[in-house]
Amino acid sequence: MRKHDMVPDHSFFEGLVACVAAIAPKDHYKNLEEGSIVLKKSKTFSFCEEGVHVEGECTPIKSDIVIFGTGFKGDQKIKDIFTSEYFQSIAVGSTSMTVPLYRECIHPKIPQLAVIGYSESLTNIYTAELMAKWISHFMDGGFRLPSVREMERDVLEWEKFMKRYSRDYFRRSCIGIVNIWYNDQLCQDMGCNPRRKKGFFSELFEPYGPCDYLNLHPK
């Protein structure tokens, strides 16, 4: 297998597949000015040991993390990341199944690739933020992924659920009807208490929303 057929070990890719409004994180513009974050628009790209080649650059951009803003029609753009026909065939699965992502983020057989925002929810922005925190905590060594077999089993259970309740729209994997349950899974993986309310009755009767996850600090 050629080296560029697979995502290099030192790189991590986060595909923003859904159309989600952007909110700049803390120190974003400062990092842009310092050059620790580089923004490039390019229709083509390729990888090498030093980083990534993009249009208009004579030398590779040295990078530890590459984030793709794929916009609409993310399926094809995710497949196009790879030159290997095998990885192209498994990256987003077939149209008869849900996109095979563990926790709706990571492909069991391509753990170097993370996808954020493909699954829709009631409030996409805060769900995407939780996904990003989960990915960041994983990259920092905060937890280990289950085995490939366990992740594939989890993906299959999710697919069965989506086909049962979403019928013809299962492919989009909308987590809206199980949003709190989904957030609980991410919290538990990060070592955070999924019960975010203060008090027994608040937990029972108050609705959950973005404010409940503001002070989420993974262990």
Side-chain angles (χ1 to χ4, degrees), residues 193-214:
N193 186 354
R195 297 189 176 184
R196 311 301 303 165
K197 298 292 186 183
K198 295 180 179 179
F200 176 76
F201 290 104
S202 296
E203 189 69 41
L204 280 179
F205 299 112
E206 290 183 7
Y208 264 78
C211 292
D212 295 302
Y213 300 93
L214 285 177

Side-chain angles (χ1 to χ4, degrees), residues 15-187:
L16 301 178
V17 182
C19 181
V20 179
I23 297 178
K26 183 180 179 182
D27 295 330
H28 176 71
Y29 295 105
K30 178 182 177 182
N31 291 330
L32 284 174
E33 293 175 358
E34 293 175 347
S36 57
I37 294 178
V38 178
L39 300 181
K40 292 290 181 180
K41 185 175 181 180
S42 179
K43 292 183 179 180
T44 61
F45 59 88
S46 60
F47 298 103
C48 60
E49 292 184 358
E50 292 77 21
V52 58
H53 286 283
V54 297
E55 290 179 345
E57 297 291 331
C58 298
T59 58
I61 299 175
K62 295 182 178 180
S63 54
D64 298 311
I65 300 173
V66 179
I67 300 177
F68 293 122
T70 62
F72 295 103
K73 298 181 180 178
D75 286 23
Q76 188 60 45
K77 292 173 183 176
I78 292 173
K79 290 171 66 175
D80 288 345
I81 291 173
F82 305 98
T83 57
S84 162
E85 291 184 3
Y86 171 71
F87 287 112
Q88 286 181 347
S89 68
I90 69 170
V92 294
S94 69
T95 55
S96 64
M97 59 187 291
T98 57
V99 177
L101 299 174
Y102 176 71
R103 294 290 191 257
E104 297 301 292
C105 291
I106 290 182
H107 195 294
K109 291 185 177 179
I110 318 175
Q112 299 94 332
L113 173 72
V115 179
I116 292 180
Y118 192 94
S119 295
E120 298 172 343
S121 68
L122 299 175
T123 310
N124 283 339
I125 294 175
Y126 99 85
T127 301
E129 181 181 1
L130 278 178
M131 289 178 173
K133 286 184 177 181
W134 186 84
I135 292 297
S136 178
H137 193 50
F138 165 64
M139 291 175 64
D140 285 339
F143 64 91
R144 294 176 62 87
L145 293 174
S147 67
V148 172
R149 180 173 295 182
E150 288 178 292
M151 287 192 287
E152 288 180 331
R153 188 181 302 121
D154 186 274
V155 168
L156 182 59
E157 287 300 316
W158 177 252
E159 180 179 316
K160 291 178 182 177
F161 172 83
M162 290 305 301
K163 287 183 175 179
R164 183 182 303 124
Y165 293 102
S166 297
R167 302 300 175 97
D168 295 340
Y169 302 98
F170 68 89
R171 180 75 175 169
R172 289 299 303 166
S173 294
C174 179
I175 61 174
I177 58 176
V178 290
N179 192 241
I180 297 175
W181 173 85
Y182 174 77
N183 293 343
D184 287 351
Q185 308 309 303
L186 300 189
C187 286

